[in-house]
Amino acid sequence: MPNSHLHELFTDELRDVLGAERQLLKGLKKMADSASGEELKSAFQEHYSQSEEHINRLKEAFSSIGLSFRSKKCKAMEGLLAEGEEIMDSFEPGKVLDAALVAAAQKIEHYEIASYGCLVTWAKLMEHQEAADLLSQTLEEEKQTDGKLTEIAMSQANVSTE
Ligand SMILES: [Fe+2]
Ligand SMILES: [Fe+2]
């Protein structure tokens, strides 16, 4: 395999992102419950289902290269979710909380985009084509979610209608 020096790093990052996705499932549930805007609520619910699919794809990616399906705790996601909790405790439900939830969710998406972006690059460099394809699909969905959050922010959460 070419660039085999990346193998350990790739494996470690794959386990980290699996941990991140699992931790995020709990966070998204709380975020959906705290959102007031219907569109934002359903965006969180939709991303919950997508994240379950991301975990399935990771399972396939692990097995495509003969690795055991194991996660590790993602400290970055833990911190991002802790900030999200802080926000939910600081604001009453309504527009401002929704704007804050969009911001918290976009920080999470950007973290995931960076992680999957690196994983796709490393998978390609090691010629793990199947894993690269699976991880690219998830990367695209994370980007779409980020874009959708921007739309919601610009059309609703961040805009005053008074
Ligand atoms: Fe994801
Ligand atoms: Fe995500």
Side-chain angles (χ1 to χ4, degrees):
M1 151 175 94
N3 296 299
S4 59
H5 65 290
L6 294 170
H7 178 74
E8 209 175 313
L9 175 64
F10 178 72
T11 305
D12 194 66
E13 182 69 22
L14 214 47
R15 294 195 165 129
D16 184 89
V17 86
L18 173 60
E21 294 280 11
R22 284 178 165 163
Q23 289 159 243
L24 178 57
L25 285 182
K26 283 187 208 145
L28 279 170
K29 225 172 210 149
K30 286 187 198 162
M31 289 162 91
D33 288 343
S34 304
S36 302
E38 278 313 310
E39 231 182 293
L40 183 58
K41 204 182 261 296
S42 65
F44 286 145
Q45 285 160 347
E46 193 189 324
H47 199 53
Y48 183 95
S49 314
Q50 277 183 332
S51 299
E52 289 182 317
E53 188 51 33
H54 297 173
I55 291 172
N56 289 333
R57 280 199 201 113
L58 284 169
K59 197 176 239 170
E60 289 178 52
F62 273 93
S63 76
S64 76
I65 46 179
L67 287 174
S68 59
F69 185 58
R70 242 186 30 229
S71 65
K72 71 176 222 181
K73 185 190 225 174
C74 173
K75 288 180 186 153
M77 186 60 78
E78 187 179 39
L80 289 164
L81 290 171
E83 278 202 9
E85 296 261 347
E86 219 172 78
I87 283 165
M88 290 185 256
D89 291 340
S90 309
F91 297 99
E92 290 300 316
K95 267 193 176 248
V96 180
L97 177 57
D98 279 8
L101 286 170
V102 169
Q106 285 194 300
K107 288 178 190 176
I108 290 170
E109 287 315 304
H110 287 213
Y111 175 74
E112 291 190 291
I113 289 166
S115 300
Y116 281 107
C118 293
L119 283 167
V120 169
T121 301
W122 295 333
K124 284 181 182 163
L125 285 169
M126 289 183 287
E127 294 178 2
H128 294 320
Q129 200 47 54
E130 193 184 342
D133 291 343
L134 289 160
L135 295 162
S136 299
Q137 283 175 48
T138 296
L139 176 60
E140 276 320 301
E141 286 179 5
E142 305 293 11
K143 287 181 183 169
Q144 280 165 15
T145 300
D146 181 47
K148 185 188 257 181
L149 288 166
T150 298
E151 269 171 41
I152 293 173
M154 297 313 282
S155 65
Q156 296 171 30
N158 285 356
V159 192
S160 170
T161 46
E162 273 128 52

